[in-house]
């Protein structure tokens, strides 16, 4: 697959070549059989569903050859690559290669293709868009023509469905507080599992370290550091760890996740004054019209990179993780699993379980194992799901 070129403005410098049409390609191009009402648009949908960046200039079954643009230049003429910085209803603000923002609509067929998804594009999506000619004084407008494959997915589960809330997030900063609200390592574990399942890296941040009178928070941080997570203790009151956290965010796309009241907004403002204030303004505006929900947006960091700001991240969940895969998301369990006596060991009670053995020898922290068992039982339907995050429902 040709790698999209970031600096490409769609000048079409690529060389057009004729290549043989591969009949079996038809099979692979889209996953599902299209419903009858989409039959007319099948070619266009195939093109959009194709993971490749080839520009199919000659469409249709009858064409024996396809014209593709070869090499570094996959662009359709007049389009540019950008990143979705905010979504407001059916309008997406796309940040172009030069950092300029362009209010884009989504090409009709792309909306149809992604019907059933709440939004055809989400914050963090890398898209190819066609800016319209800018008229004097009016804000630039454009059309999103295609969405690049999503590298990572940040999801939020409701009772029935899972919603994608952001794409291509590099890391989840799991934020807890030393106190007020009290520190719950089991909640940190939930977020770590979710991050891992969404293919995102994770950082453990314990804020309000000024309230860590008995050293428990420092001990918890050490626990996560030992199993390989980057950790940071912060205080927006004393300034502890703010520089370190800023460094961890630089050049990446991150999301801060954690219970309300732990200090996520305060941390963002400590890292970059004014960063989060803008969000407050937006929320006030949209509060008037109940129908306009600001789903999420990217906040640009001075040191490079973004923070994905989303109202729905607190309860981002592990709804889609099969119970058999849970062990894979507990990083320190992984090396022990092959030592279990039974291949289908659940590591909850079995004789000859190497994970339980490691817990007994003090190599795995009992609290981490307890978190695993709790999630395992939830996933198996033995106990109700999400007890601890349920109380975290959105304040909207
Ligand atoms: P969020 O809901 O996670 O965004 O939390 P906020 O940023 O709104 O902070 C919740 C409360 O915690 C506010 O009253 C803050 O002033 C307070 N707070 C934030 N950071 C700290 C800290 O490092 N130490 C202490 N003691 N309080 C803090
Ligand atoms: Zn086992």
């Amino acid at each position: 697959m040709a790698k999209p070129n970031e600096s490409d403005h769609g000048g079409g410098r690529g060389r057009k070549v004729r290549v043989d049409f591969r009949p079996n390609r038809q099979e692979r191009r889209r996953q599902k059989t299209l419903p009858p009402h989409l039959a007319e648009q099948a070619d266009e949908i195939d093109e959009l569903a194709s993971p490749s960046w080839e520009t199919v200039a000659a469409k249709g079954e009858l064409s024996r050859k396809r014209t593709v643009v070869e090499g570094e230049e996959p662009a359709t003429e007049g389009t540019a690559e950008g990143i979705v910085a905010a979504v407001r209803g059916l309008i997406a603000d796309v940040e172009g290669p030069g950092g300029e923002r362009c209010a884009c609509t989504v090409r009709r067929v792309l909306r149809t293709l992604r019907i059933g998804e709440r939004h055809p594009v989400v914050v963090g999506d890398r898209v190819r868009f066609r800016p319209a000619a800018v008229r004097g004084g009016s804000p630039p407008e454009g059309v999103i023509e295609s969405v690049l494959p999503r590298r990572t997915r940040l999801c939020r589960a409701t009772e029935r469905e899972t919603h994608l809330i952001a794409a291509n997030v590099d890391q989840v900063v799991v934020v807890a507080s030393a106190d007020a609200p009290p520190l719950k390592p089991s909640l940190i574990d939930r977020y770590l599992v979710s991050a891992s399942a969404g293919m995102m890296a994770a950082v453990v941040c314990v804020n309000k370290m000024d309230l860590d009178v008995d050293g428990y928070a420092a001990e918890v941080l050490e626990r996560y550091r030992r199993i390989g997570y980057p950790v940071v203790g912060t205080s927006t009151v004393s300034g502890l760890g703010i520089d370190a956290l800023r460094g961890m965010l630089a050049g990446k796309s991150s999301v801060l996740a954690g219970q309300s009241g732990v200090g996520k907004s305060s941390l963002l403002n400590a890292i970059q004054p004014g960063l989060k204030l803008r969000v407050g303004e937006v929320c006030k505006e949209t509060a008037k019209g109940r129908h306009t929900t600001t789903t999420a947006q990217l906040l640009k960091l001075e040191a490079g990179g973004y923070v994905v700001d989303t109202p729905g991240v607190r309860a981002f969940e592990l709804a889609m993780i099969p119970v058999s895969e849970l062990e894979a998301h507990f990083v320190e369990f992984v090396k022990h699993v092959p030592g279990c006596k039974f291949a289908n060991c659940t590591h909850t009670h079995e004789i000859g379980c190497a994970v339980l053995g490691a817990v007994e020898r003090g190599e795995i922290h009992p609290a981490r194992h307890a978190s695993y068992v709790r999630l395992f039982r939830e996933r198996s339907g033995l106990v109700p799901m999400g007890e601890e995050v349920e109380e975290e429902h959105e304040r909207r």
Side-chain angles (χ1 to χ4, degrees):
M1 182 169 74
K3 200 171 177 290
N5 183 349
E6 287 200 25
S7 64
D8 171 42
H9 291 247
R13 276 161 289 162
R15 192 164 62 89
K16 287 191 173 183
V17 291
R18 304 288 280 177
V19 296
D20 286 331
F21 185 85
R22 281 166 289 159
N24 67 344
R25 215 184 139 71
Q26 213 68 354
E27 298 301 316
R28 289 190 287 128
R29 273 160 70 184
R30 70 172 120 84
Q31 311 275 315
K32 290 182 206 144
T33 312
L34 289 174
H37 71 276
L38 295 178
E40 267 182 51
Q41 305 174 61
D43 280 343
E44 216 176 348
I45 289 170
D46 276 344
E47 181 192 336
L48 289 163
S50 166
S52 97
W53 274 90
E54 293 167 358
T55 303
V56 182
K59 289 183 206 158
E61 308 274 343
L62 297 176
S63 141
R64 306 303 307 164
K65 303 259 184 190
R66 297 171 304 132
T67 304
V68 301
V69 180
E70 194 187 40
E72 291 281 282
E73 301 291 321
T76 315
E77 217 159 291
T79 68
E81 197 188 310
I83 182 165
V84 175
V87 179
R88 306 170 273 127
L90 280 173
I91 303 294
D93 291 330
V94 177
E95 194 180 292
E100 75 286 359
R101 293 237 173 151
C102 179
C104 291
T105 54
V106 177
R107 193 179 173 191
R108 189 178 57 89
V109 68
L110 198 56
R111 288 205 297 266
T112 319
L113 180 69
R114 293 177 174 228
I115 214 155
E117 287 197 35
R118 213 193 212 169
H119 301 284
V121 296
V122 293
V123 160
D125 263 329
R126 302 182 71 89
V127 297
R128 188 153 278 286
F129 71 107
R130 184 183 300 277
V134 183
R135 293 174 299 272
S138 67
E141 291 166 1
V143 179
I144 293 173
E145 306 240 315
S146 59
V147 181
L148 273 86
R150 289 167 176 150
R151 203 161 28 81
T152 69
R153 293 167 160 263
L154 180 71
C155 294
R156 180 168 54 86
T158 62
E159 307 79 53
R160 283 179 305 280
E161 305 157 289
T162 303
H163 292 294
L164 179 64
I165 50 181
N168 305 322
V169 173
D170 298 312
Q171 65 181 5
V172 177
V173 179
V174 181
V175 185
S177 54
D179 200 4
L183 183 53
K184 279 195 212 164
S186 57
L187 203 45
I188 295 177
D189 293 333
R190 271 176 198 275
Y191 286 115
L192 291 179
V193 170
S194 299
S196 169
M199 309 287 282
M200 296 168 278
V203 169
V204 178
C205 170
V206 177
N207 187 39
K208 309 198 189 182
M209 288 302 280
D210 53 293
L211 304 180
D212 185 29
V213 286
D214 56 3
Y216 174 62
E219 185 197 312
V220 168
L221 276 173
E222 173 59 18
R223 190 189 295 176
Y224 290 100
R225 191 196 59 74
R226 217 178 294 147
I227 55 175
Y229 288 104
V231 301
V232 61
T234 55
S235 169
T236 62
V237 173
S238 74
L240 174 81
I242 301 301
D243 288 343
L245 182 58
R246 191 186 293 115
M248 288 165 154
L249 298 178
K252 291 178 182 157
S253 173
S254 312
V255 68
L256 269 61
Q259 229 179 330
S260 93
V262 294
K264 297 182 295 297
S265 310
S266 309
L267 283 170
L268 289 179
N269 277 330
I271 283 160
Q272 189 172 314
L275 187 63
K276 183 74 183 178
L277 291 179
R278 254 188 20 233
V279 184
E281 284 164 22
V282 171
C283 290
K284 251 176 254 159
E285 269 174 39
T286 56
K288 277 184 272 170
R290 280 275 155 82
H291 296 295
T292 331
T293 40
T294 306
T295 45
Q297 62 176 325
L298 297 186
L299 309 178
K300 200 165 192 167
L301 295 167
E302 282 155 13
Y306 301 94
V307 171
V308 178
D309 190 78
T310 159
V313 77
R314 235 161 281 136
F316 90 98
E317 254 284 18
L318 26 139
M320 296 187 310
I321 305 171
V323 68
S324 59
E325 285 174 20
L326 197 56
E327 64 185 29
H329 301 298
F330 280 76
V331 285
E332 77 276 40
F333 290 17
V334 172
K335 69 171 181 189
H336 298 289
V337 169
C340 295
K341 185 172 174 188
F342 304 109
N344 61 352
C345 186
T346 66
H347 328 301
T348 56
H349 65 280
E350 289 87 346
I351 291 164
C353 171
V355 172
L356 284 166
V359 176
E360 263 166 43
R361 291 192 304 277
E363 290 168 29
I364 289 174
H365 198 285
R368 286 276 293 168
H369 185 254
S371 288
Y372 167 82
V373 173
R374 169 76 208 212
L375 292 173
F376 183 89
R377 298 183 71 214
E378 273 184 27
R379 297 296 114 186
S380 315
L382 297 171
V383 292
M385 292 212 295
E387 185 203 89
E388 284 164 299
V389 281
E390 234 157 52
E391 67 203 41
E392 294 311 316
H393 272 312
E394 299 314 310
R395 305 170 298 172
R396 290 210 180 176

